[in-house]
């Protein structure tokens, strides 16, 4: 267990955050090249088009490609914002070991993975929360059920059912997951009735 003042001072944690940030930036640039090439193809094809109908089809195609490109840019913006929130929490709070991060069965979460935390031995599980990795929203790292590192605010008033915000990782500071009380989780059978 790292004994640093803040979790971001832990070398493996900082390395995991940097790795996620590099992947996010690299993923953003992957979309710029095909989009630029689609404009080149548009100008070449529309310049060689023999009729107005063909030119209109090419214009419609470039509008569609531009729309998809803007959606992808928006999604990448969300990834970078998540990484900033994670870093802010890691800079403000130390890692603490929690005995369990439980993934309840029969519960869905459209924004990530539903979970409940046990902050200390013998304490009850928190209410439903949502956890998501910036790059892989619905990935659940193996080993969290046997214990995890948690950085964030743990509110004692109101007991364990009080929800908070923080960062969760498998011991060792591997893949970082943003934990939020603002959950889109719901019981699968409740939504069907």
């Amino acid at each position: 267990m790292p004994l640093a003042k803040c979790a971001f001072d832990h070398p493996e944690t900082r390395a995991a955050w940097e790795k996620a940030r590099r992947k996010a930036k690299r993923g953003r640039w992957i979309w710029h090249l095909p989009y630029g090439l689609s404009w080149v193809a548009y100008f070449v094809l529309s310049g060689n088009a023999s009729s107005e109908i063909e030119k209109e089809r090419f214009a419609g195609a470039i509008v569609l490609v531009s729309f998809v490109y803007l959606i992808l840019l928006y999604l990448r913006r969300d990834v970078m914002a998540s990484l900033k929130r994670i870093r802010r929490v890691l800079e403000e709070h130390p890692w603490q070991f929690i005995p369990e991060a439980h993934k309840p069965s029969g519960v869905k979460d459209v924004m990530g993975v539903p979970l409940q935390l046990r902050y200390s031995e013998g304490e009850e599980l928190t209410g439903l929360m949502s956890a998501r990795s910036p790059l892989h929203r619905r990935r659940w790292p193996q080993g969290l059920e046997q214990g995890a590192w948690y950085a964030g605010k743990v509110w004692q008033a109101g007991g364990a059912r009080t929800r908070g915000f923080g960062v969760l990782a498998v011991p060792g500071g591997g893949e970082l997951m943003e934990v939020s009380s603002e959950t889109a989780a719901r019981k699968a059978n409740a939504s069907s009735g």
Side-chain angles (χ1 to χ4, degrees), residues 5-191:
K5 280 187 177 180
C6 71
F8 200 69
D9 289 342
H10 183 246
E12 286 84 4
T13 302
R14 186 180 294 252
W17 187 86
E18 289 289 339
K19 181 180 176 184
R21 184 170 161 261
R22 278 192 307 273
K23 279 185 177 179
K25 284 189 170 192
R26 187 174 40 231
R28 183 174 52 183
W29 286 104
I30 289 172
W31 298 109
H32 293 319
L33 182 63
Y35 182 63
L37 291 174
S38 68
W39 274 100
V40 170
Y42 166 72
F43 286 122
V44 169
L45 293 172
S46 67
N48 293 331
S50 58
S51 69
E52 287 299 315
I53 293 175
E54 284 182 350
K55 288 182 181 181
E56 288 175 9
R57 286 182 185 162
F58 294 137
I62 198 67
V63 167
L64 180 64
V65 168
S66 296
F67 181 71
V68 169
Y69 174 73
L70 291 175
I71 288 173
L72 291 171
L73 282 183
Y74 177 77
L75 293 174
R76 281 292 154 190
R77 184 183 143 271
D78 187 43
V79 168
M80 296 307 286
S82 177
L83 284 168
K84 284 182 184 177
R85 287 189 300 269
I86 286 172
R87 181 174 178 155
R88 191 174 316 122
V89 169
L90 294 174
E91 288 174 337
E92 292 175 4
H93 300 280
W95 280 126
Q96 61 182 349
F97 182 78
I98 61 172
E100 184 181 359
H102 175 70
K103 181 181 174 188
S105 60
V107 178
K108 302 268 186 211
D109 187 341
V110 296
M111 296 303 292
V113 179
L115 86 151
Q116 295 173 291
L117 301 176
R118 186 178 316 276
Y119 292 124
S120 62
E121 244 358 283
E123 189 177 279
E124 66 180 277
L125 290 168
T126 63
L128 283 175
M129 301 169 84
S130 182
R132 58 194 160 272
S133 168
L135 301 171
H136 311 286
R137 290 206 174 264
R138 289 186 181 84
R139 179 182 292 172
W140 182 255
Q142 296 298 319
L144 288 178
E145 300 270 345
Q146 287 78 39
W149 285 359
Y150 178 80
K153 188 159 181 107
V154 178
W155 291 309
Q156 302 303 329
R161 294 262 173 222
T162 307
R163 300 176 184 175
F165 177 79
V167 177
L168 191 66
V170 174
E175 183 175 355
L176 304 171
M177 297 181 77
E178 181 179 15
V179 177
S180 172
S181 62
E182 298 169 4
T183 178
R186 61 188 182 281
K187 295 221 181 265
N189 56 5
S191 65

